[in-house]
Amino acid sequence: MNPWVIVLIVVTVVITVALVVLYFLGKRAQKKQEEQQAMLESHKQTVSMLIIDKKRMKLRDAGLPQMVIDQTPKLMRGSKLPIIKAKVGPQITSLICDEKIFDSVPVKKEVKAVISGIYVIGVKGLHGKQPQSTAPVKKKGRFKRALEMAQEKAGAKPLK
């Protein structure tokens, strides 16, 4: 038998096994995420808070309780999380924000936020005017700039 056929069969089997393992791991992770989402929904409450500051920072630098840092997996401790420093009632606390709403949370404004523990799920109401969202202009890549320069030199109409 040709050695290339053997190598091809072995590679195909390894890739098939890897895909099956990833499929079952994905199903398990999705099930776990749905359970966590249901728990967040059951413990949510609406709180009025003044957002002091927001930034992405490492978990150990965020000022969260030591118990929270101890419970996180070691691989996650080095990653940056969206952290909000807010005044809830008379005390100032650090809260973890949901990645989806982090950009829409206004700084130095009073908001009604939906929280679950130390996790901010959503921002419901805003007091005062909501600032206009100015999306940053996306920079052009090297290829686009070179293409535009070449088209300008050739006298063609530039693409947008």
Side-chain angles (χ1 to χ4, degrees):
M1 195 174 218
N2 192 355
W4 290 109
V5 174
I6 296 172
V7 169
L8 186 63
I9 291 171
V10 169
V11 168
T12 306
V13 168
V14 168
I15 289 175
T16 305
V17 168
L19 287 175
V20 168
V21 167
L22 287 175
Y23 173 75
F24 285 112
L25 287 176
K27 278 181 67 173
R28 186 185 305 164
Q30 185 177 7
K31 187 176 179 183
K32 197 174 192 181
Q33 182 186 16
E34 289 171 358
E35 290 173 2
Q36 290 173 350
Q37 196 66 31
M39 188 186 322
L40 283 176
E41 289 295 321
S42 67
H43 290 87
K44 71 179 182 179
Q45 56 185 339
T46 304
V47 175
S48 179
M49 63 173 67
L50 174 69
I51 308 294
I52 298 171
D53 188 23
K54 70 174 187 175
K55 59 176 93 166
R56 297 182 196 282
M57 42 190 347
K58 292 189 177 185
L59 195 63
R60 62 176 178 262
D61 300 334
L64 295 170
Q66 187 63 36
M67 186 173 75
V68 172
I69 297 171
D70 292 340
Q71 288 179 353
T72 56
K74 292 195 188 265
L75 293 175
M76 285 292 297
R77 291 182 193 172
S79 64
K80 292 187 175 185
L81 293 174
I83 303 292
I84 293 177
K85 193 167 286 243
K87 183 175 182 185
V88 183
Q91 64 186 24
I92 297 174
T93 58
S94 294
L95 303 168
I96 301 172
C97 185
D98 192 9
E99 194 71 46
K100 294 179 271 187
I101 64 159
F102 182 68
D103 293 329
S104 66
V105 175
V107 180
K108 297 188 175 139
K109 298 273 186 193
E110 189 172 343
V111 297
K112 289 210 182 268
V114 180
I115 64 170
S116 178
I118 62 166
Y119 194 71
V120 179
I121 299 171
V123 178
K124 273 191 171 177
L126 303 171
H127 289 159
K129 289 186 177 178
Q130 185 170 356
Q132 299 274 335
S133 79
T134 56
V137 178
K138 190 174 183 182
K139 291 184 178 180
K140 293 181 183 175
R142 254 187 218 175
F143 181 74
K144 281 247 191 206
R145 286 193 309 250
L147 184 65
E148 286 181 0
M149 287 174 54
Q151 286 177 345
E152 287 176 10
K153 287 182 181 178
K157 197 161 74 170
L159 295 174
K160 293 203 176 187

